[in-house]
Amino acid sequence: MFRLLKTALAVLLLLVGAGLLWLGTSVASDLGSAGTRTFTLEPTPGVPVVLTPQTLNRLDVPTRVSVQTGSADPVWMGLTSPSDASTLLGASARQVVTGVRVREGTITATDTEGEPDLDPGRADIWFDAVATTGSAELEVPVDGVPSTLIVDAPGDGELDSVTVTWQRRAWFVEAVAIAGFGLVVALAGMLLLWQLLPSRRTATEQEAS
Amino acid sequence: MTITRPRCLRAGVVAALGLLLVGTLSGCGLESSLVGIQPPPVERVDDSAPLPGPAAQRVAQRVIGQAIDAEDDEVAAAALTGPAARLAEQRRERAPSRSAEDTLAPDEVTVLAMTSGRDWPRWMVATRFDTAAGRQMLYLLVSEDVRLPYLVHSVVPMSDGASVPSLGNLADGTSLVSDGDGLVAAPAEVASAYGAALAYPKPTKTEVVSTDDLMATSLKSNAAGQAKSLGELATLVQKHGVVEDSVVALRLADGGALAFALLKRTDTITLNEKAKEVTLPKAYATVAGKKTVTDKVVVTSLEPVAFVIPARGPASVVGAEDVLTGVDADPS
């Protein structure tokens, strides 16, 4: 009975260790040594994309948001407080980012129907803003201030993609540590299993006698 | 018969189990410690300034830069509103063009305070040293709506040696002051009392505001001197009224208030029966378009004034100027 339990434990350690080793190595290779993870959204045509604090302010590292438009279409990004963003957006149609799918590297979002055009006017509500053509990038700092980002392609322009990137070197280090830990656990399981092999056990007993 | 195992194997298994256990138990704090996920910060809607300091700085720098240009350029006058717009219009008509050296230098503007909360209108107080004039300037900016930019509402040159007490932490914002709770009087009453105290020949004594500032003393001595020079030829009556809706005050950190007001000064010089005509001073003649008057002359000026109303004691003027806006010779 005791031997059966030990065998089960050895198999469990081997499986768990192998699993952690696989998880750690695959995550580490995915993140790269800089610990970078990118998520992409395919925007709904003709409406601004809104990223709320639930996405922008959830990690202890800055959030970098990049936008691509078709050819040289104008693109505009404005970072403001959630309440001011809500007031400005009013009844405008929008696509609100709700989260990310880690495995797929994609962004989830919901569409809200409403007025067709966003009119930011000459508002002075922006913590930071970018207005350019083609592509744009804006970094949301970690300063404890909740912020909402509005991304729009004014006029007839269309957003091709919105990409959110986080870079956290600790993720890579942690993934390597998990892989190393998995390796230790798997090796321990293998050693225990090896000790319990019938041929090995007989040899050991003969040596002892 | 005894079975012996290598000690290292036993230690390895125990260590692996231990690490596995620790790893499993630490799962409760896994998100924050390993992944770095944190709950999103909650917005302080009521007791924080609507813009972070650097963003407010950029806005003030842009708007005040446009306001300076506005004295030359009518299009740029869109950066002005209220009293500042009225004064800039007068300056455009009378003052010589500013030189290129007057262009705003980067980081020349310092934001002192913003009103807290997320409602409109939103107010901002900023300051800069005007190298051309050699004076520290106080600016009051306002944004009326979510889609409208900040505009310069009031510009007041500070008096030499005057200072404005702290308006508190920029990130926390401050509040508007409309009544006299905790003050010697409401801001509008202070402005009104100051104007009445400068009237000539019958000033109204006041306990709520000091009138020993440079503008007040020079106005009083000039009025007395002018009346004396007119002698029996004419009489001078000078009044200083508060322009409607021009008073805006923000709470100081110590409980006092910084108030901006626009006064309208009206000098009426009425010729006596003995006088046939009076020759106008050159500055007035240029504005009036005639050199002499036979009946009376009405000279109007706008006076942007900044008051500090302390939590205790009378208010004092920290900045003021007098800008000639019109001379009406022999009005019908």
Side-chain angles (χ1 to χ4, degrees):
Chain A
M1 184 65 183
F2 185 60
R3 180 181 163 77
L4 188 66
L5 277 175
K6 280 200 287 187
T7 307
L9 178 65
V11 171
L12 180 70
L13 285 173
L14 184 61
L15 289 176
V16 169
L20 289 174
L21 180 63
W22 172 82
L23 180 73
T25 49
S26 58
V27 170
S29 67
D30 187 39
L31 292 171
S33 59
T36 306
R37 195 73 174 92
T38 298
F39 302 89
T40 304
L41 171 74
E42 205 172 291
T44 303
V47 299
V49 174
V50 180
L51 294 100
T52 65
Q54 291 291 341
T55 306
L56 299 177
N57 305 119
R58 288 307 302 275
L59 288 169
D60 57 5
V61 289
T63 306
R64 198 166 66 242
V65 182
S66 312
V67 185
Q68 285 285 340
T69 63
S71 62
D73 285 350
V75 59
W76 172 85
M77 305 167 82
L79 188 71
T80 184
S81 65
S83 56
D84 281 0
S86 176
T87 308
L88 181 72
L89 286 163
S92 299
R94 71 200 80 157
Q95 186 179 26
V96 182
V97 170
T98 54
V100 295
R101 286 201 182 97
V102 177
R103 193 172 295 174
E104 292 89 343
T106 57
I107 295 173
T108 56
T110 55
D111 290 332
T112 304
E113 291 187 357
E115 301 291 328
D117 292 316
L118 170 68
D119 174 22
R122 295 179 295 141
D124 267 335
I125 58 172
W126 309 113
F127 301 175
D128 199 357
V130 178
T132 182
T133 55
S135 62
E137 191 172 289
L138 193 146
E139 188 168 278
V140 182
V142 182
D143 53 8
V145 177
S147 45
T148 294
L149 183 69
I150 303 173
V151 181
D152 196 19
D156 297 329
E158 298 233 329
L159 299 171
D160 275 358
S161 69
V162 175
T163 305
V164 176
T165 304
W166 286 287
Q167 192 173 62
R168 192 173 185 268
R169 189 169 164 76
W171 286 341
F172 173 76
V173 175
E174 286 159 7
V176 170
I178 288 171
F181 173 60
L183 184 64
V184 169
V185 173
L187 282 175
M190 281 173 69
L191 279 170
L192 186 59
L193 211 54
W194 182 69
Q195 284 292 317
L196 294 169
L197 283 174
S199 56
R200 169 69 185 158
R201 185 180 169 80
T202 309
T204 311
E205 284 171 359
Q206 281 172 352
E207 278 172 23
S209 61
Chain B
M1 189 172 62
T2 41
I3 300 171
T4 59
R5 300 182 186 85
R7 283 190 173 180
C8 62
L9 175 63
R10 214 181 318 173
V13 172
V14 170
L17 281 171
L19 286 171
L20 200 60
L21 186 67
V22 169
T24 309
L25 290 178
S26 69
C28 40
L30 201 66
E31 281 193 339
S32 58
S33 61
L34 288 183
V35 187
I37 289 180
Q38 55 195 9
V42 178
E43 186 181 4
R44 288 164 54 206
V45 174
D46 296 323
D47 61 348
S48 70
L51 287 175
Q57 185 77 24
R58 280 196 298 274
V59 168
Q61 182 86 11
R62 186 200 76 224
V63 176
I64 291 171
Q66 289 172 347
I68 291 170
D69 293 342
E71 290 179 13
D72 285 342
D73 182 358
E74 277 192 50
V75 177
L80 302 171
T81 186
R86 290 181 66 170
L87 282 165
E89 192 181 336
Q90 295 301 323
R91 287 200 178 97
R92 271 200 305 279
E93 288 177 8
R94 308 198 203 298
S97 291
R98 297 172 69 96
S99 68
E101 291 171 5
D102 296 342
T103 307
L104 210 57
D107 301 327
E108 194 175 315
V109 174
T110 304
V111 176
L112 300 178
M114 286 172 277
T115 46
S116 58
R118 298 294 181 268
D119 295 330
W120 275 270
R122 293 176 177 179
W123 300 88
M124 186 187 292
V125 180
T127 184
R128 66 176 268 270
F129 186 75
D130 186 339
T131 47
R135 303 179 78 173
Q136 193 72 31
M137 309 294 286
L138 270 179
Y139 294 87
L140 179 68
L141 282 61
V142 62
S143 172
E144 298 280 358
D145 183 80
V146 67
R147 288 183 174 78
L148 294 178
Y150 277 90
L151 302 175
V152 174
H153 182 275
S154 299
V155 185
V156 183
M158 287 184 70
S159 310
D160 290 341
S163 63
V164 175
S166 169
L167 284 136
N169 189 323
L170 186 61
D172 293 338
T174 185
S175 58
L176 284 176
V177 180
S178 55
D179 56 32
D181 287 351
L183 304 172
V184 66
E189 290 170 25
V190 169
S192 183
Y194 181 73
L198 299 184
Y200 185 88
K202 294 177 181 173
T204 305
K205 282 192 174 179
T206 176
E207 298 292 321
V208 301
V209 59
S210 164
T211 55
D212 57 3
D213 61 285
L214 187 64
M215 188 175 88
T217 50
S218 103
L219 279 171
K220 284 188 280 190
S221 69
N222 286 349
Q226 197 173 9
K228 189 178 177 184
S229 66
L230 288 168
E232 293 183 355
L233 290 175
T235 55
L236 168 69
V237 175
Q238 188 179 100
K239 290 178 180 174
H240 301 260
V242 179
V243 174
E244 196 177 356
D245 297 330
S246 71
V247 180
V248 178
L250 290 92
R251 184 71 68 188
L252 296 170
D254 64 4
L258 172 66
F260 291 82
L262 184 67
L263 306 185
K264 183 180 179 184
R265 168 185 159 193
T266 308
D267 289 10
T268 307
I269 300 168
T270 309
L271 274 64
N272 295 331
E273 288 177 358
K274 291 178 185 174
K276 288 184 179 176
E277 64 176 26
V278 167
T279 304
L280 291 172
K282 193 179 175 184
Y284 289 180
T286 307
V287 178
K290 59 197 293 188
K291 291 180 179 175
T292 58
V293 289
T294 55
D295 182 22
K296 70 174 177 181
V297 59
V298 179
V299 181
T300 51
S301 304
L302 286 176
E303 300 170 324
V305 186
F307 301 93
V308 165
I309 311 171
R312 286 180 186 173
S316 59
V317 170
V318 291
E321 72 173 333
D322 185 283
V323 180
L324 178 67
T325 56
V327 179
D328 197 356
D330 291 329
S332 51

